Amino acid sequence: MNGFNEWRVTPSNTAKNTYNPIRAIVDGMKLTPNPEKAMIPLSIGDPTTFGNLPPPQIAVDSIIEGVQSKIFNGYAPSAGYKESREAVAQYLTKNGSRTKAEDVFLVSGCSSAIEHAISVLLDPGDNILIPRPGFSLYRTLCISQGMQVKSYNCLPERMWEVDLSHLESLIDERTKAIVVVNPSNPCGSNFTADHVRDIIEVAKKNKLPIIADEIYAGMTFKPLEFTSCCSQSEDVPILTCGGISKIFLVPGWRLGWVVMHDRKNIFGEEFRRGLMSLTQRTLGACTIVQSILPKLLENADNEYMDKAVGLIQSNAEIAFSRMSNMRGLKPVTPQAAFYMMVGISLRNFPKFKNEVEFTEAMVSEQSVFCLPASCFDYPGFFRIVLTVPEEKLKEACDRMEEFCNANYVP
Ligand SMILES: *Cc1c(COP(=O)(O)O)cnc(C)c1O
């Protein structure tokens, strides 16, 4: 053995091809706030940023109990503790979808659930259909592994409903699933039961499973109601991805789930074993956080959720009514989650070439940062986050109004 003369330590193609469009766009922006005004970030999709939305007390108490009991320090089974999987199954059954514990696989956050769903369904060269505007992780995960994504349009004039004929036109022989994100990040939309059924109909006709990203399940503004994909499907197999990050306002706790709904046994047992094998790659999710699921999910419908969602809804109403009256802006009514998309009439703001320059200038003039929706593959819009304290939101609206008035050209 002569050994080698050179180290061979270049990053893998997967690493080199892993690309987060939000970072790529935001890192390229000139973000210099106006020194006279304190920065108000309406850009960060983390509800803990301002400290006004604490997690439920039961979550905090049960974490402490879990640590003190010292019984959750070892490895759990890689798909999760039986009791914790059972708790998720019961919780989803309450949402109308008859789930059993063995259908639930606990993972590190919904991001990891999405990764598992993609890994179990796709080989390199295969593709999935994803919403536009949409959450960028799907593209990031697929492209880095040699898989493709095709974007189907969601229509602002129809509350971001899916353009079903466009969706169907994208299907080819390498298409392995339709991704449905409902409620939506970045749109803040919530599909009606009828619309959910229409999407399922397209999946059924084309014999495609659905990946249902329902991380915002239940965060729907009154009097609207959330409809899960699996509650509406008799035969289309569905992988539901969810978790506690958003509904319990603890994104840092990293606990999510991917759940098989397969009433007609189309995925089958081999597929279930495949999903099980994938959970063995990481030896499962954090045991302490798993341990709180029974208590936390049993209390999921209580006042706590109503209060948190109520606060976000009230912000949504304020932001929508204020921005509807600003020159050159056209917000789309938010219905759920904690986002609102706002269209910019760019021809009335000739100083700015696109939504990136527009949002950059809003930072330098008014110290308000909204995310350009090119981050979500949707130029001409920006996205705001609605979890800000009300006073800050109102202040941000005042400044945005000033910004529009200063730059608008009829
Ligand atoms: C936040 C978010 C996720 C990721 O959730 P984690 O549990 O924090 O990994 C997945 N999908 C959508 C649409 C999201 O907004």
Side-chain angles (χ1 to χ4, degrees):
M1 179 69 185
N2 293 322
F4 289 91
N5 292 327
E6 306 282 349
W7 296 93
R8 294 168 308 282
V9 285
T10 49
S12 67
N13 289 326
T14 307
K16 282 191 286 197
N17 294 332
T18 299
Y19 161 90
N20 177 339
I22 301 186
R23 285 265 58 85
I25 291 170
V26 173
D27 292 348
M29 289 175 78
K30 285 189 295 291
L31 298 173
T32 324
N34 177 344
E36 322 244 286
K37 300 187 182 204
M39 184 74 170
I40 305 179
L42 299 181
S43 53
I44 311 169
D46 180 337
T48 69
T49 309
F50 298 95
N52 57 331
L53 289 166
Q57 193 56 39
I58 187 140
V60 177
D61 294 343
S62 356
I63 281 281
I64 293 169
E65 253 172 61
V67 175
Q68 280 176 339
S69 75
K70 304 193 181 76
I71 59 177
F72 302 111
N73 291 336
Y75 287 116
S78 63
Y81 290 121
K82 182 90 198 330
E83 296 75 13
S84 309
R85 297 170 78 188
E86 179 63 42
V88 174
Q90 281 179 19
Y91 171 70
L92 295 177
T93 301
K94 265 196 294 192
N95 278 347
S97 62
R98 287 181 276 151
T99 308
K100 296 194 295 292
E102 60 266 32
D103 299 328
V104 176
F105 299 82
L106 298 179
V107 293
S108 294
C110 185
S111 316
S112 185
I114 293 167
E115 184 168 29
H116 279 73
I118 291 172
S119 298
V120 75
L121 284 164
L122 275 72
D123 282 311
D126 291 338
N127 67 70
I128 48 173
L129 310 186
I130 60 171
R132 174 172 53 218
F135 187 59
S136 55
L137 183 66
Y138 292 92
R139 180 182 299 274
T140 302
L141 290 173
C142 284
I143 299 304
S144 63
Q145 300 178 93
M147 301 148 182
Q148 268 78 54
V149 292
K150 294 182 167 194
S151 300
Y152 61 82
N153 293 331
C154 297
L155 305 170
E157 66 279 14
R158 294 213 326 240
M159 296 299 229
W160 301 111
E161 282 190 353
V162 176
D163 179 341
L164 295 166
S165 54
H166 184 235
L167 170 71
E168 197 163 11
S169 74
L170 298 173
I171 298 170
D172 65 29
E173 60 286 352
R174 297 300 301 263
T175 303
K176 290 302 176 75
I178 298 172
V179 174
V180 179
V181 182
N182 179 48
S184 158
N185 175 10
C187 301
S189 52
N190 178 71
F191 295 153
T192 62
D194 277 342
H195 190 58
V196 171
R197 281 194 290 273
D198 288 344
I199 299 169
I200 291 172
E201 219 30 62
V202 173
K204 180 176 176 179
K205 185 175 151 205
N206 292 282
K207 304 287 179 289
L208 283 175
I210 288 177
I211 298 174
D213 182 338
E214 295 179 353
I215 185 77
Y216 298 99
M219 300 189 82
T220 298
F221 302 158
K222 290 196 168 77
L224 303 172
E225 288 197 39
F226 165 68
T227 307
S228 67
C229 273
C230 48
S231 70
Q232 303 301 312
S233 166
E234 279 304 325
D235 30 27
V236 172
I238 294 175
L239 290 177
T240 299
C241 298
I244 64 172
S245 299
K246 310 290 166 58
I247 52 179
F248 297 113
L249 306 160
V250 287
W253 291 13
R254 312 309 304 133
L255 196 287
W257 47 76
V258 53
V259 180
M260 276 176 69
H261 298 274
D262 189 23
R263 287 187 200 162
K264 294 282 159 72
N265 207 29
I266 292 163
F267 282 142
E269 284 313 303
E270 198 187 352
F271 191 93
R272 182 189 301 277
R273 279 196 300 279
L275 208 41
M276 182 62 87
S277 303
L278 289 173
T279 66
Q280 290 162 5
R281 296 211 291 207
T282 52
L283 308 185
C286 172
T287 53
I288 302 286
V289 185
Q290 284 190 49
S291 78
I292 74 169
L293 289 178
K295 274 201 187 134
L296 186 62
L297 295 176
E298 254 168 49
N299 290 284
D301 285 336
N302 66 9
E303 301 149 49
Y304 168 80
M305 286 272 277
D306 285 352
K307 198 170 147 212
V309 177
L311 191 148
I312 297 166
Q313 175 166 5
S314 148
N315 276 349
E317 285 160 3
I318 293 168
F320 179 77
S321 86
R322 288 290 309 270
M323 288 181 208
S324 301
N325 291 315
M326 292 182 201
R327 294 204 266 177
L329 296 190
K330 196 166 189 305
V332 184
T333 316
Q335 303 173 303
F338 36 74
Y339 310 100
M340 179 167 81
M341 288 279 272
V342 183
I344 312 164
S345 174
L346 281 165
R347 67 188 166 80
N348 297 110
F349 296 100
K351 235 165 90 185
F352 312 120
K353 213 167 57 217
N354 53 35
E355 70 294 330
V356 173
E357 289 188 4
F358 183 93
T359 49
E360 252 173 9
M362 199 137 72
V363 173
S364 55
E365 292 179 28
Q366 297 291 344
S367 301
V368 173
F369 184 30
C370 306
L371 211 55
S374 30
C375 294
F376 309 104
D377 201 13
Y378 213 70
F381 278 70
F382 61 82
R383 185 197 75 173
I384 69 160
V385 168
L386 298 166
T387 50
V388 216
E390 187 179 310
E391 285 318 304
K392 274 211 165 75
L393 179 68
K394 288 179 169 163
E395 168 74 26
C397 287
D398 290 343
R399 296 194 209 164
M400 288 166 82
E401 186 158 31
E402 200 178 311
F403 177 82
C404 289
N405 287 341
N407 293 288
Y408 185 88
V409 177

